[in-house]
Amino acid sequence: MAAANAPISMKETLTLPTLGITPQFITFTHVTMESDKYICVRETSPQNSVVIIDMSMPNQPLRRPITADSALMNPNSRILALKAQLPGTTQDHLQIFNIELKAKMKSYQMPEQVVFWKWITPKMLGLVTQTSVYHWSIEGESEPVKMFDRTANLANNQIINYRCDPTEKWLVLIGIAPGSAERPQLVKGNMQLFSVDQQRSQALEAHAASFATFKVPGNENPSVLISFATKSVNAGQITSKLHVIELGAQPGRPSFTKKQADLFFPPDFADDFPVAMQISHKYSLIYVITKLGLLFVYDLETATAVYRNRISPDPIFLTAEASSVGGFYAINRRGQVLLATVNEATIVPFVSGQLNNLELAVNLAKRGNLPGAENLVVQRFQELFAQTKYKEAAELAAESPQGILRTPDTVAKFQACILCSC
């Protein structure tokens, strides 16, 4: 596990078995975690029940006698979505309950089976059937609205994720399928990217994907990015890549230059593959999590590899963004709920020392207001000043981590410079 000076800290926040969850229910089909607020577990013995674990008080789980094929807690509030197949049909009955008010908010009888569903926003459920994808708002009386048809590359796939970008203009669906005859253990990853504005889909290979926004210098409007991780085998050669691409570049504005990087799997992880991706908006870091418990950390802006470590000896089947701390939760088959966070005291020295990447160290420090780059920032400021790059020096001073350059001395330096030029 991670050393004390590692840039990412791991801790076990709870274990599901200590809350009375038996191992047979610690699986992808029984456990859901839509945000860092709740975990939901569906039990079918000794009786049918749904267990809601509030992460702010995990030792007080709420167990309710409910029969359902799937249960999802809303990412923000005490609202529960339930799905159950109608006996003798391929139709699904969908219901949304307000737990606080003990009241049903909405229900709908879906004419076809929902094979995967997810809260894509606090107000919207994404519903995936064998052929299509629908959105269902929890507000008003509206019924599910069809968004797009699934592309052929996702036929006979197990759908493992669906998400939208912050503008709700871009949608991505991820599925996995059995591996090729030459490498059956390495499952195939398939992705469908859909543009709401263009009403157009693109089929790609990927096991995991996530959206982010990024401010490109010189463009006041944030850019929408998608990052996706692929691992494929072709003529016996395994290729593992991370891609970061801008979606819907703005005409006449500076755009994000697409990036790609290798995902280096150790030899004994040859058949391992990404199962999840989370992007920390707080630090602009990409986390790629694999089935066998590897964690890859990359910088969003440059796709530079920051860190790799095994964070779980047991297979990981579920993750959720831990937005307030800029990390993520991961649940493994043993029922450990692990929390990964940035080690704020060590990440900048790690990047400048171990990786010898001074530019990235300074950028991380500025972005996350982190310690460890004081000497680097002061040195860079003095270089810019000596080169009479006063605009860049002023920008660096304004953005300096923990305000180390926002001092009377810096102001005096600029004032003296103005007086000299008079």
Side-chain angles (χ1 to χ4, degrees):
M1 298 298 266
N5 67 341
I8 303 295
S9 300
M10 297 299 305
K11 76 169 182 181
E12 179 187 279
T13 57
L14 66 122
T15 63
L16 297 179
T18 60
L19 302 180
I21 309 294
T22 55
Q24 72 189 95
F25 302 126
I26 303 173
T27 68
F28 183 73
T29 53
H30 289 84
V31 182
T32 56
M33 189 175 190
E34 298 293 280
S35 71
D36 52 9
K37 286 198 159 115
Y38 304 101
I39 296 173
C40 204
V41 185
R42 189 175 55 84
E43 298 176 319
T44 53
S45 74
Q47 70 245 354
N48 291 334
S49 59
V50 169
V51 184
I52 297 163
I53 301 158
D54 185 331
M55 295 300 285
S56 65
M57 43 181 189
N59 294 320
Q60 299 171 43
L62 180 70
R63 203 176 239 101
R64 287 284 180 264
I66 294 170
T67 301
D69 298 323
S70 180
L72 299 176
M73 276 299 283
N74 183 280
N76 278 3
S77 48
R78 293 177 74 81
I79 290 171
L80 177 65
L82 296 170
K83 173 169 77 74
Q85 193 170 343
L86 292 166
T89 74
T90 56
Q91 300 181 353
D92 271 333
H93 188 49
L94 312 177
Q95 299 179 85
I96 301 172
F97 289 93
N98 185 314
I99 296 170
E100 302 277 19
L101 303 175
K102 296 182 178 172
K104 183 160 73 173
M105 296 171 64
K106 285 186 95 160
S107 68
Y108 184 73
Q109 201 162 303
M110 198 74 179
E112 51 187 320
Q113 193 177 355
V114 175
V115 295
F116 182 85
W117 66 332
K118 194 159 185 62
W119 288 102
I120 54 170
T121 75
K123 301 263 175 88
M124 188 84 71
L125 278 160
L127 314 173
V128 185
T129 72
Q130 289 288 6
T131 57
S132 310
V133 175
Y134 298 80
H135 286 182
W136 189 29
S137 169
I138 64 170
E139 298 180 318
E141 300 298 313
S142 60
E143 296 182 352
V145 176
K146 183 176 170 180
M147 300 304 292
F148 59 89
D149 287 321
R150 284 168 58 169
T151 41
N153 67 324
L154 286 167
N156 304 315
N157 277 229
Q158 179 192 354
I159 301 300
I160 60 168
N161 208 356
Y162 177 60
R163 57 203 331 176
C164 70
D165 81 299
T167 67
E168 298 178 38
K169 299 287 188 186
W170 296 91
L171 312 170
V172 69
L173 188 61
I174 299 279
I176 53 173
S180 60
E182 60 178 321
R183 208 64 190 253
Q185 295 300 310
L186 178 56
V187 306
K188 290 177 181 170
N190 293 303
M191 162 176 142
Q192 177 178 359
L193 177 65
F194 181 76
S195 163
V196 175
D197 286 345
Q198 297 170 29
Q199 289 291 299
R200 204 170 69 201
S201 282
Q202 189 175 359
L204 297 158
E205 280 190 11
H207 289 83
S210 189
F211 294 105
T213 53
F214 184 79
K215 289 291 290 284
V216 176
N219 186 351
E220 65 272 20
N221 301 319
S223 299
V224 175
L225 308 182
I226 187 169
S227 177
F228 55 98
T230 69
K231 187 173 184 181
S232 55
V233 60
N234 191 6
Q237 286 291 105
I238 295 178
T239 307
S240 308
K241 294 280 186 191
L242 176 80
H243 300 267
V244 187
I245 295 169
E246 181 174 3
L247 298 172
Q250 304 151 36
R253 306 282 176 114
S255 60
F256 181 86
T257 307
K258 70 178 176 181
K259 310 289 191 313
Q260 73 167 33
D262 289 313
L263 290 167
F264 289 108
F265 281 83
D268 45 341
F269 288 79
D271 290 325
D272 192 17
F273 57 92
V275 288
M277 181 187 292
Q278 300 293 344
I279 295 179
S280 164
H281 304 286
K282 185 174 182 181
Y283 303 109
S284 288
L285 292 173
I286 303 169
Y287 303 117
V288 178
I289 303 100
T290 76
K291 182 180 180 179
L292 296 183
L294 288 179
L295 167 66
F296 296 88
V297 183
Y298 286 80
D299 173 53
L300 175 68
E301 182 180 4
T302 60
T304 302
V306 174
Y307 184 63
R308 183 191 74 191
N309 196 27
R310 193 173 193 185
I311 60 170
S312 168
D314 298 273
I316 288 172
F317 65 90
L318 193 59
T319 70
E321 183 186 358
S323 51
S324 59
V325 292
F328 65 90
Y329 283 98
I331 304 179
N332 64 22
R333 288 299 302 273
R334 206 197 309 172
Q336 286 180 298
V337 181
L338 305 168
L339 175 61
T341 53
V342 167
N343 188 335
E344 294 200 334
T346 63
I347 189 166
V348 173
F350 181 90
V351 171
S352 61
Q354 300 274 100
L355 304 184
N356 196 27
N357 191 330
L358 305 187
E359 188 178 356
L360 178 56
V362 171
N363 282 344
L364 270 171
K366 287 195 311 194
R367 229 184 268 156
N369 195 28
L370 300 172
E374 292 80 359
N375 294 340
L376 299 173
V377 172
V378 170
Q379 182 186 330
R380 182 74 184 127
F381 176 76
Q382 288 168 346
E383 284 171 4
L384 290 169
F385 216 90
Q387 294 162 6
T388 67
K389 293 180 176 175
Y390 301 129
K391 182 171 179 284
E392 290 93 331
E395 285 171 355
L396 181 61
E399 296 172 358
S400 60
Q402 304 191 316
I404 57 167
L405 289 172
R406 294 195 291 277
T407 63
D409 284 353
T410 303
V411 174
K413 201 163 180 157
F414 280 110
Q415 286 173 336
C417 169
I418 292 164
L419 289 170
C420 291
S421 62
C422 284

